Every structure is written in structure tokens, then in C-alpha cells.
Amino acid sequence: MEDQTLQLFVQQLVNGIQLGSVYALIAIGYTMVYGVLKFINFAHGDVYMIGAYMGMFVVLGFHPANIDQDALVVVLAMVLMVGLIVSLRGNLRNPRAVGLRLAGFGLAFVLLKTLCSAFVLVGEKLFGGLTSVAQTSVLVGGAVSVMVSVGWCAALGVIIERTAYKPIRGTGRLTALITAIGVSLLLENGGQAVFGARTQAYSIASLPGGQELVGATLNLNVLGLAISVNRGQVIVLVSAIVLVTLLMYIVRRTRMGKAMRAVAYDREAAALMGINTNTVISFTFLIGSAMAGAGGFLNYGLTQFSFDTNTGIMFGLKAFVAAVLGGIGNLGGAVLGGVIMGVAETFIAGSPFSSFKDAIAFVILIAILLFRPAGLLGKYTVEKV
Amino acid sequence: MHNRRLHTASWLAGLLGLIVLSGCNSAPQSGGTGGGGTGDTILVGSYLSESGSEADFGKSTHEGIDIAIEVINKAGGINGKNIELRAENTESDPAKAANAVTKLITNDKVVAVIGEVASGLSLAAAPICQSNKVPMVSPSSTNIKVTQQGDYIFRVCFIDPFQAYVVAKFARENLKKTTAAIFVDNASPYSKDFGSEFKKNFEQMGGKIVSEAAYAAADTDFKGQLTKIKTANPDVLLVPGYYKNVGSIGKQARELGITAPLLGGDGWDSQDLFVTAEDALEGSYFSNHMAVDDPAPAVKSFVDAYRAKYGADKTPGALTALGYDAMMIVAEAMKRVKVIDGPSLRDELAKTSGYKGVTGTITMNSDRNADKSAVMLQIKGRKFVYMATVAPN
């Protein structure tokens, strides 16, 4: 009996750490951006969702029939409109600037439908090529999927930062926060309009050799206890550890990492010292979004878990709580917080109180805010007045 | 000075917004059927989840309603008048379901409302139909509370207690299983009540429930709960949820080494089940409203009509059949009234008796629920195979 309880405990611990490693990957993005900008990027969870879709397009192929092109046109038209308004702000007294912008955006509106069709066609060709490459073996497929998810999400992170957050930098934190919520809603609802609301699932297990690599269940013997884990999830955990180590190296040992730490410490002073703060901020978004994209692909593409365009909401919220729990702005804290969240959630799920599984995240958040507002590894700082 | 500049900017933004919005609005209008209730048509409303977590259900039901309207109008309509459908999307959201029905009744002035699939959404909209005295026929909400909302609320499907009874009986008598675990979606009235009714019936029949757990519809990782269920080692695992979660649960249960067959209800009925489950649910069972391979003539002609419209390689699900039956029953009642208004249509709907529908012979009982039989299906090679018909007791 005791053996069985212990076995259950270890099995749940393994389940929890696996889930926690994904929370940790997302939490890193929250914490890095907060560290540098003192700003919570609520669209971060949705970047994770996009990562899952990109991996799917590589593994299953990208079919234009599955993309609602009219919806794509409407979504992009709205984005362009907002862009036009933002770019006109501050230029209204200069007729030449207004004329140029109106002409430019007008042309873009006119060409939008053609551009979208071309985009979808290129997407089909590109992903068609990638899919046929991925079909050669599961290792190639996995590598290509990771690269596409990471690359696309990194680019998306920078695009979001440059177009949505940079123009309003310096207008106050509340503006930035609300803009982030707006970007989040755009990605969720725009994504639903374009990709459809259907629940999706895929796995690189469907590629040649995939069944052995990620599909099979691994039965381990840990200290005489029989533990079963999905091979895919072991790879998720290992990849998460590798990615986090890589990130730690970048932040602690490279010039760019040093610049990031300097900007986090004091942005104005860093700028005076000759650091290009705009580049550093974009790089922060790039790294954070790349991690989220990797998390999105790893958690879905290796496990056949189901996802849709709203998947990023709950994962984002829980990862955010994980970042706060560990001490927002602190990388090690984000990883620790993610693992604690994953383990706590799994143990509640396996208890008679399984219906309170999601509530635990927010109970933890409240407890942390009450007893240790700076988080487990966070430092208390005196607010300068 | 600065203020005026901002003023101009916002004015310009508003103008642009108008231009783009009018551009967006004009598209669906020109693509639509055109013309409202012109006196030659009878407007019927539907509110269904055509996007969101239960999108497949809403779309399937919509197809069934469309086929029924085509059949009715082709045969001369309702005393010479054609039926026209006004469809609203609830996006699987109760608040939107309530808004959609209010719009259908007050704006479009429909004479009857068909919907929803999910019980939670039907419960949100039923009080609105009741207070406006517009009959509502739910094609497939099986929760018992739905028709208890008032005497204008009907359904053409059986109710959860019956479905849970069928599954419990099948597990005890056909499969001869003695222990079961129950895993329900805690936020869904359908799933929760199915679980508790199953427990009551299964225990009455001499079975034992060895483990109970809950999940939330947005979950993707069910390993925590399943690990606990595995240690209880049940003969069968009841998962009365919707296809999206059931697929993942089945897949992860097998990965953790749970070999017991899974049992479920009509929420499983979608080919999308296999997107997540793949082959994990092979050999599992669920109760449903109809089987496509049922030899009854009403089923065959419906399947033929469906394939003629949507393609020979397509197969209608039970929800499409229920949407079809719901529309047909409303049309039959309309044919029997002199002036189509809410109260008289309600009275005729309540008199529906012995109607030979695709999903069985439908008779409205005094609780406005359909008295009819259920079928048990087994999953074999990603297909649903007919096993048994269980009649109401």
C-alpha cells in the first residue's frame, strides 16, 4: 500500500514537472519583458498559440482551403487602419507627410486582397516544401518545425513590439497594458477568423520513425517504482532545460545579455552609455517570443494535445502567475515558478478536489501577493520618488 | 493647438472606420438570400454554436435544418408558404446565446426557434423564448432542466437520465462489468448530471464506482486525474464529455496504461474525435440518437438526401439528423394550425405523436420531452458501429 502511494506520488511529480516545464518556457517571456520594460505583455500567451499552429503547418501541411482569405483581408485591413491612424498622429500639420501616408496606406488597402492571395499562395508553396522535407524523417521534421515555430514567433514578437508597443512607449504603463490586451484579442479572434475555430491536434509521431521516437510510452523503473511517461514529453522536458540553459548563457555571458541587464537596471543611464535601447528591447521580445514559440510547438507537436486559437489564454495566465510567483523580472524565478505551478496543478488534479485544479493558480497568486509581493526569488526595491 | 490636432485625428479615424465598416457590412448582405419575411415566407430562427469549442455540433445541426427546409419547400411548403431560416451563431457562449435569441425574436420576428445543442446554452436562451411566447425546439440538449424552463420549450432528443440509464445498463448487462470510474467536465451540466445519473443506475444494478474525478473543458493535460483513476483499476471508465476533450482523455489514458474501455454519450459523436484520439478509443462504446448503418427506411432516405447535397463520401452524424427532425416537427405542427402564432404553434407541437423521424419514433410527453429509444455504438477502425437499441422503460 505504501509502495503504491509512493509510486502515485512520483508519477504525479513527473507529470507535474513536464507541465511545469512548458509554463516555465512561457513565463520566461513575461519575466524578460517585465525586467526590461516594466510592462506585462499580455499577448505573450497568444504567441505561444501561434507557435503551435506553425508547427502544425509544417507537419500536416498548409492548405489554402483551411484559411479564410476574406477574414484575413478584413483582419489585415483593420490592422492597416490602426497603423494609418497611429502614423498620422503627430504628422497632421505636415501636408506632405499626410499625403504620402494616405497614398501609401490607400495603395495597401487596394492591394490588400491581392497581397493576401499571394501570401496564401507563397505560404502553400513554402510550407508544402517544408512538409515534404519534414516527411523524410522525424528528426528532420522535428528540427524544421522547431525552426519555423521559433523563427516565426520571434519575428512576430519583434513585429508586435515595433508596431504596437514602440509607438506608445513613454505614454504610461496603462496605455501599454491596454494595447497588449488589444494585441492579444487581435491574435485570438483574428486567428479564429483566419484559421477557423476547429480544435486541432497533430504530432511529429505521424512522420517516418516518429512512433518510436515520441509516440511510444516509456516505462521507467525509478528506485523500484514503475513510472510510465510519454517519450514525447521527456523530449519536451529535455528541450526546455536546453533552451533555458541557452538563455541563461545569452543573458549572463554575451554582450547583448549585458546590454539587456543594463537596460533593465536603468534604461536612461544605459542609453547615455551608448547602448541602443531600441535594439535591446526588440531583442528581448525576440528571445521571449522565440521561447514561447518553442513551447507552443513542443507542448502540442510532440504530444497530440488538442489546441485552438484560445489556447494561449489560460496557458498565458498560468505562466504569468508562474512568473509573478518566482519573482517577475527574474529568469530563474520564472523557471522555478513554472515548475511549482505545474506540480501544484497536477497534484490538485489527482486529489478529490480535481475541479479546483485551475483555481490553484490564482490561490497561489493571491498568497504570493499577500506574503511575498516580490515573488520567491524577487528582490525588494525601494520605489524612487 | 495640440488639442485641435488630436480632434482632427480622431475625426479622421472615425471617418476611416465608417468607410471600412460599411465595406465589411455590404459583403454579407449581397451574399445573403435577400428579402425578409415578405408574407410568402415563414421565418424560423436557429441559434447554434458555429464556432468555438462545439463548432462541429452547430454546423452539423445547421446542415440538418437546411436539408429539412429544402425537403419541406420542395413539397409545397407550409400551405403554399416557404420556410426561411434565420441562423445566429452563439460561439459556444451562453451570453451570446441569450443575445442571439433576443435578436431573432424581437428583430427578425421568427415564429419558432430551433437550438441549442449544448444544454448550457439552451438553458441560457429558453427563458427568453418562454417570456416572449415563442416555441423553442432543442434538437439535442439532453439535460433534464432544459424543458423545465417553461411550456414553450420542447426537445426531439431523449434526456440525460435516460442516456445514463442506457449506458449503465449496457455496461452491467451486455459487457458484464462491475467496477467503473467517472470522469466529468465539471463546468458542463450535461457532463455532470450524466455522471451522477450513471452512478445512481450503475450502483442500483449492483455495480460499484471506484473513482471520481473532474476536468475543465479548456484543459489539455489530463494526466493528473487519470493517474489517480489508474490506481483504482476500474473495469470501465465513463467520460460523458464532448469529443474534443474525450479524444485527448482517451489518448492520455492509454499512454498511462489504462486499458479499460471508455464509455460515453452523444457528446462523442463527431469525426473530429479522432483528430486527438487517433486509435486510442478503439473498442470503446457510447450511446447515441441514431446509427447511420441502421436499416430503417427513414434513416436511409435521410442519409441519401444528405449525401446528394454534401457529397457521397460524407456521412451525417446524429446531430444533423436531430436538426432535421426538429425542423420537421415544427413544420408538421405549422401545417396543422390555421394562423401561425406562438401559442397555437405551441399547442400543436405538444400534440406531436408517433412521428416517424430519422432518430426514432417521436412522441412528445407531458414534460415536452421526446419519448424514444437510444442506440449503443462501438468505435471500430475510426468508425461508429451499431451495437444495440435500448428502448425507454
Side-chain angles (χ1 to χ4, degrees):
Chain A
M1 188 60 208
E2 207 171 66
D3 247 23
Q4 208 187 9
T5 321
L6 191 62
Q7 187 212 344
L8 184 67
F9 179 80
V10 176
Q11 175 79 58
Q12 294 288 37
L13 199 62
V14 171
N15 293 342
I17 292 173
Q18 282 172 343
L19 183 62
S21 64
V22 178
Y23 288 148
L25 280 178
I26 313 173
I28 284 169
Y30 277 109
T31 228
M32 284 176 74
V33 168
Y34 185 85
V36 171
L37 281 180
K38 301 284 173 290
F39 150 68
I40 309 213
N41 176 17
F42 272 112
H44 191 61
D46 303 298
V47 174
Y48 160 82
M49 172 272 288
I50 297 283
Y53 272 92
M54 287 305 135
M56 183 180 81
F57 290 145
V58 174
V59 175
L60 300 185
F62 175 88
H63 301 293
N66 291 338
I67 296 287
D68 190 334
Q69 292 196 32
D70 293 341
L72 187 63
V73 172
V74 172
V75 170
L76 289 182
M78 285 174 173
V79 175
L80 272 179
M81 205 177 79
V82 174
L84 176 58
I85 293 165
V86 171
S87 81
L88 280 178
R89 228 183 108 247
N91 284 309
L92 277 178
R93 296 220 296 167
N94 180 348
R96 194 156 165 267
V98 172
L100 271 175
R101 281 176 173 79
L102 279 178
F105 277 98
L107 194 68
F109 276 115
V110 172
L111 288 177
L112 201 54
K113 209 169 159 69
T114 327
L115 285 173
C116 283
S117 319
F119 177 75
V120 171
L121 264 177
V122 170
E124 188 198 5
K125 286 270 180 296
L126 184 68
F127 278 104
L130 288 173
T131 307
S132 55
V133 172
Q135 288 294 340
T136 52
S137 94
V138 65
L139 288 176
V140 177
V144 173
S145 309
V146 168
M147 282 191 277
V148 170
S149 292
V150 167
W152 178 265
C153 287
L156 184 66
V158 175
I159 292 170
I160 291 173
E161 193 269 327
R162 284 278 153 133
T163 56
Y165 303 149
K166 196 178 162 212
I168 52 150
R169 199 178 296 154
T171 54
R173 284 200 208 172
L174 196 60
T175 320
L177 192 74
I178 289 170
T179 308
I181 293 172
V183 174
S184 168
L185 289 174
L186 174 77
L187 289 176
E188 283 154 21
N189 294 297
Q192 189 176 75
V194 176
F195 300 143
R198 186 163 179 252
T199 303
Q200 307 281 5
Y202 68 102
S203 167
I204 56 169
S206 65
L207 300 173
Q211 204 56 40
E212 295 77 44
L213 186 70
V214 295
T217 306
L218 200 60
N219 291 308
L220 297 175
N221 193 323
V222 183
L223 307 171
L225 304 166
I227 305 297
S228 57
V229 283
N230 175 302
R231 277 171 194 264
Q233 288 193 303
V234 177
I235 299 174
V236 173
L237 184 61
V238 173
S239 312
I241 294 170
V242 170
L243 285 171
V244 170
T245 316
L246 187 70
L247 182 73
M248 295 280 188
Y249 174 79
I250 292 174
V251 172
R252 295 205 175 137
R253 293 275 180 267
T254 63
R255 274 175 74 87
M256 188 48 103
K258 205 175 195 175
M260 279 166 73
R261 282 178 289 142
V263 173
Y265 193 76
D266 188 332
R267 198 194 323 161
E268 278 161 25
L272 289 173
M273 295 300 120
I275 294 171
N276 186 343
T277 50
N278 281 337
T279 312
V280 172
I281 289 168
S282 291
F283 185 76
T284 309
F285 272 87
L286 182 132
I287 294 277
S289 306
M291 290 282 166
F297 166 71
L298 290 170
N299 195 32
Y300 298 97
L302 268 57
T303 56
Q304 192 84 21
F305 284 178
S306 61
F307 63 96
D308 55 36
T309 48
N310 289 335
T311 293
I313 301 174
M314 206 54 182
F315 260 90
L317 274 178
K318 286 179 183 168
F320 168 62
V321 175
V324 174
L325 168 62
I328 193 145
N330 183 311
L331 281 180
V335 175
L336 179 70
V339 173
I340 290 177
M341 286 282 303
V343 172
E345 192 184 316
T346 311
F347 273 102
I348 295 291
S351 77
F353 309 105
S354 49
S355 38
F356 294 99
K357 187 173 73 64
D358 286 341
I360 189 70
F362 304 102
V363 170
I364 291 176
L365 178 65
I366 292 166
I368 287 294
L369 290 178
L370 280 178
F371 296 109
R372 228 188 124 73
L376 292 176
L377 302 183
K379 286 195 189 73
Y380 289 94
T381 49
V382 181
E383 191 82 9
K384 279 165 277 192
V385 188
Chain B
M1 205 56 185
H2 192 79
N3 256 343
R4 215 182 75 195
R5 199 200 287 171
L6 211 76
H7 186 78
T8 325
S10 58
W11 188 83
L12 204 73
L15 191 73
L16 258 168
L18 269 178
I19 295 167
V20 169
L21 278 181
S22 61
C24 299
N25 276 341
S26 66
Q29 265 168 19
S30 59
T33 40
T38 52
D40 296 330
T41 53
I42 301 169
L43 287 182
V44 174
S46 74
Y47 67 106
L48 299 161
S49 308
E50 305 202 34
S51 63
S53 56
E54 290 118 36
D56 187 52
F57 289 168
K59 285 179 184 157
S60 305
T61 309
H62 196 161
E63 287 175 354
I65 299 173
D66 279 347
I67 296 174
I69 291 177
E70 238 171 62
V71 170
I72 296 160
N73 288 348
K74 215 176 266 176
I78 310 295
N79 306 326
K81 286 184 181 182
N82 276 348
I83 292 181
E84 198 181 307
L85 186 71
R86 285 294 148 92
E88 289 289 326
N89 181 1
T90 62
E91 299 172 40
S92 310
D93 179 345
K96 283 178 182 146
N99 287 342
V101 167
T102 308
K103 177 173 175 282
L104 286 171
I105 293 173
T106 56
N107 219 20
D108 296 330
K109 312 242 180 278
V110 299
V111 292
V113 172
I114 297 177
E116 229 287 345
V117 176
S119 296
L121 300 184
S122 289
L123 283 168
I128 299 166
C129 295
Q130 179 67 27
S131 62
N132 285 293
K133 293 193 188 310
V134 172
M136 167 181 138
V137 181
S138 169
S140 39
S141 286
T142 44
N143 187 283
I144 187 160
K145 294 191 193 93
V146 170
T147 49
Q148 289 169 357
Q149 299 302 308
D151 59 351
Y152 276 78
I153 315 300
F154 298 82
R155 75 177 113 212
V156 294
C157 55
F158 47 64
I159 51 177
D160 283 336
F162 175 63
Q163 193 169 204
Y165 159 81
V166 168
V167 176
K169 191 174 169 183
F170 184 79
R172 280 297 291 135
E173 291 174 11
N174 297 45
L175 301 178
K176 310 250 183 288
K177 303 290 187 189
T178 50
T179 61
I182 299 177
F183 193 21
V184 297
D185 177 351
N186 213 34
S188 144
Y190 161 76
S191 189
K192 254 169 76 177
D193 293 356
F194 196 129
S196 58
E197 283 292 328
F198 176 88
K199 182 180 179 178
K200 198 178 83 188
N201 281 298
F202 196 68
E203 283 175 345
Q204 267 172 15
M205 294 169 196
K208 190 164 175 280
I209 305 297
V210 291
S211 183
E212 286 179 76
Y215 63 90
D219 290 354
T220 50
D221 190 330
F222 304 93
K223 289 205 164 71
Q225 297 95 315
L226 289 169
T227 300
K228 186 185 81 168
I229 288 169
K230 191 194 169 191
T231 55
N233 196 23
D235 292 338
V236 287
L237 170 56
L238 179 80
V239 189
Y242 293 124
Y243 59 93
K244 171 190 146 189
N245 297 126
V246 172
S248 292
I249 290 169
K251 178 99 180 157
Q252 290 172 34
R254 297 295 178 251
E255 277 170 11
L256 286 171
I258 298 175
T259 51
L262 271 65
L263 298 178
D266 57 338
W268 287 27
D269 182 32
S270 166
Q271 283 296 319
D272 277 2
L273 184 65
F274 302 111
V275 171
T276 43
E278 295 187 307
D279 294 318
L281 289 172
E282 185 74 14
S284 291
Y285 305 89
F286 67 99
S287 60
N288 207 350
H289 305 268
M290 69 162 267
V292 183
D293 49 351
D294 189 332
V299 177
K300 205 183 164 301
S301 63
F302 164 73
V303 172
D304 289 346
Y306 181 88
R307 288 191 171 140
K309 188 169 162 76
Y310 295 105
D313 55 332
K314 295 272 181 14
T315 302
L319 290 159
T320 310
L322 285 166
Y324 179 88
D325 278 352
M327 186 64 238
M328 280 299 187
I329 288 215
V330 171
E332 289 298 317
M334 280 176 177
K335 283 178 191 163
R336 297 196 297 262
V337 296
K338 286 193 189 76
V339 181
I340 297 175
D341 58 15
S344 46
L345 196 56
R346 190 220 82 85
D347 293 344
E348 280 306 323
L349 272 169
K351 289 180 200 155
T352 301
S353 171
Y355 174 77
K356 292 244 182 302
V358 177
T359 60
T361 306
I362 298 167
T363 299
M364 283 294 163
N365 64 23
S366 54
D367 296 325
R368 297 167 307 284
N369 298 324
D371 273 333
K372 59 200 275 201
S373 54
V375 295
M376 284 303 297
L377 305 177
Q378 187 178 28
I379 295 173
K380 274 186 188 160
R382 302 198 184 185
K383 285 207 163 55
F384 305 140
V385 180
Y386 173 76
M387 295 292 290
T389 301
V390 184
N393 44 347

